[in-house]
Amino acid sequence: MAVLVTGATGFIAQWVIHYLLRENYRVIGTVRSQEKGDKLHRQFGSPSNLSFEIVEDISDTEAFEPIFEKRGNIIDIVLHTASPFHFNTSNYEKDLLIPAVNGTKGVLNAIKKYGNVKHIVVTSSYAAIGDVTKFADGSCVFTEKDWNPTTWKGCQTDPVNAYFGSKKFAEEAAWQFNKENNVSLTTINPVLVFGPQKFEEEVTSQLNTSNEVINGLIHSKPGDKIEPDEHFVYVDVRDVAKAHLVAFQKGLSGQRLGLCNNRFSSQDILDILNEKFPQLNVSKGPEPGKGDTRPGALFDNSRSKKLLGFPFIGLEQSVYDTVFQVLNKEGNL
Ligand code: NDP
């Protein structure tokens, strides 16, 4: 049995590969270049059951066809994690929406044309569920049944909204494909993902988009104004990765799995930093010890938690492990 993991270099995908290898699956990762594949293979200790195929740009709807033409007969499971997650663009269609949607359609069409895949897991997001205009509404509770109401044109106001749209339209394309082809499909819908990189070598001055929230606070100074002052929802990367495996192992077909542990605020993270790493002397924040004081929408994912059946890592552990790794790399512990 082989598992194809698209976007193998990603923050989440590297943990997915870690758990797959730990359970002795044969893993094929897609990477954008030979160099990236060679590096990742070395980082994982060069196991014989890990190999890579090159997919330079998922915007090309036929990008996945050569892989399935060549190895489709041995790929049983597809975990499609590849999708742009950054806000460094003003060309929202080209850099966010099109790769997200075409990547999803492309891998699904290649499966249909050449593959013999038993289960497909698509990494979607809470961004496909939540309505950004209601995130500050404390009376609002989203569940896995909800859809972000944004439109293709309407989401192109700024990179954050465009990213949210990219996840919605990509996930819609996956469910549409499922309706037309009756495949076994699960989507994973995580909120903001914190946690350590799989390999400390990947820690640089700028971390992946979601961990930048923590990285900014690590490098804050006493008296700094906390900008942006985040009040949102989080989950740990190791739980997100595990959910990708449980989705196909338990055959959770037709499910959108909402992955969220709880709400957090920048103040919560500063409190953890000040308690666990006092030597950093970071900002105390506006209201030390008060926690998340602002009302905000909740994500009731109790149904998904029950289906998954494992406990989620808490904020303190997630932040501690992330920060420990950054400081270790910086020689600052
Ligand atoms: P990363 O940016 O770390 O990983 C993204 C992956 O997608 C990388 O392997 C990247 O390749 C690949 N990729 C992006 N654009 C293209 C493209 N045009 N062609 C080919 N490959 C591409 O992000 P995460 O690991 O955080 O995210 C993984 C998935 O999880 C995404 O689908 C994201 O939307 C979703 N998600 C993430 C959350 C988070 O908080 N981190 C929350 C909810 C969902 P390369 O490294 O070479 O650029």
Side-chain angles (χ1 to χ4, degrees):
M1 171 183 275
V3 182
L4 181 79
V5 181
T6 70
T9 49
F11 167 55
I12 294 174
Q14 291 190 22
W15 280 106
V16 170
I17 294 171
H18 164 81
Y19 288 113
L20 288 169
L21 291 176
R22 213 172 68 169
E23 296 191 27
N24 291 320
Y25 287 100
R26 180 170 173 188
V27 180
I28 303 169
T30 73
V31 286
R32 294 217 230 191
S33 67
Q34 185 69 43
E35 232 181 343
K36 288 187 178 190
D38 290 346
K39 179 180 170 196
L40 209 47
H41 198 244
R42 170 185 58 76
Q43 286 176 314
F44 275 106
S46 307
S48 58
N49 55 340
L50 175 63
S51 60
F52 293 96
E53 295 288 341
I54 295 167
V55 173
E56 270 175 31
D57 188 358
I58 54 174
S59 298
D60 171 3
T61 48
E62 290 178 6
F64 288 101
E65 300 215 351
I67 298 177
F68 281 91
E69 213 172 338
K70 187 171 126 197
R71 303 181 78 178
N73 58 330
I74 61 152
I75 299 171
D76 292 298
I77 307 290
V78 172
L79 311 181
H80 177 54
T81 82
S83 203
F85 183 20
H86 64 80
F87 306 130
N88 319 317
T89 176
S90 50
N91 194 338
Y92 309 133
E93 277 196 353
K94 177 177 164 288
D95 295 329
L96 295 173
L97 288 148
I98 290 174
V101 173
N102 286 7
T104 304
K105 286 184 177 169
V107 76
L108 293 172
N109 283 326
I111 291 169
K112 183 175 169 183
K113 206 161 161 189
Y114 302 103
N116 186 24
V117 170
K118 311 214 170 23
H119 200 114
I120 303 159
V121 180
V122 171
T123 318
S124 184
S125 173
Y126 180 53
I129 291 178
D131 176 349
V132 262
T133 65
K134 295 189 177 155
F135 281 161
D137 177 353
S139 67
C140 189
V141 181
F142 295 108
T143 73
E144 297 89 343
K145 289 192 182 134
D146 291 308
W147 281 90
N148 175 351
T150 198
T151 61
W152 185 270
K153 281 277 162 251
C155 74
Q156 295 185 47
T157 50
D158 60 80
V160 176
N161 271 317
Y163 168 72
F164 271 61
S166 78
K167 298 307 290 179
K168 171 196 170 161
F169 298 114
E171 190 189 333
E172 266 185 354
W175 288 117
Q176 183 60 31
F177 180 91
N178 182 57
K179 204 164 139 195
E180 290 161 5
N181 298 282
N182 195 26
V183 290
S184 197
L185 171 72
T186 310
T187 62
I188 305 284
N189 296 66
V191 295
L192 198 67
V193 183
F194 291 152
Q197 308 295 316
K198 176 65 192 78
F199 301 107
E200 191 177 287
E201 191 182 347
E202 295 312 309
V203 174
T204 53
S205 59
Q206 182 159 7
L207 297 180
N208 62 290
T209 304
S210 48
N211 270 326
E212 267 302 300
V213 170
I214 299 178
N215 205 22
L217 296 171
I218 296 175
H219 298 101
S220 68
K221 298 271 164 299
D224 277 0
K225 185 167 180 339
I226 299 308
E227 236 1 288
D229 184 7
E230 300 281 354
H231 295 257
F232 203 51
V233 266
Y234 78 92
V235 65
D236 188 90
V237 66
R238 293 156 287 192
D239 293 331
V240 177
K242 274 194 227 163
H244 283 76
L245 274 74
V246 175
F248 71 80
Q249 289 172 334
K250 283 196 177 174
L252 301 179
S253 183
Q255 304 288 340
R256 297 176 94 192
L257 298 175
L259 293 196
C260 170
N261 195 36
N262 215 331
R263 288 190 59 79
F264 76 95
S265 65
S266 296
Q267 182 68 65
D268 289 321
I269 295 175
L270 287 172
D271 289 349
I272 296 168
L273 292 176
N274 279 301
E275 189 198 328
K276 303 286 179 196
F277 304 97
Q279 74 277 18
L280 281 179
N281 195 24
V282 295
S283 164
K284 295 274 183 269
E287 296 181 290
K290 288 253 173 76
D292 187 8
T293 49
R294 259 193 231 165
L298 294 177
F299 185 20
D300 177 1
N301 63 331
S302 46
R303 201 173 154 275
S304 298
K305 278 188 165 168
K306 205 165 160 197
L307 285 171
L308 288 165
F310 60 81
F312 285 8
I313 294 171
L315 185 67
E316 187 170 305
Q317 186 71 54
S318 198
V319 171
Y320 182 88
D321 293 347
T322 310
V323 178
F324 184 93
Q325 191 182 52
V326 171
L327 299 185
N328 202 38
K329 178 76 186 282
E330 289 178 351
N332 217 355
L333 265 179

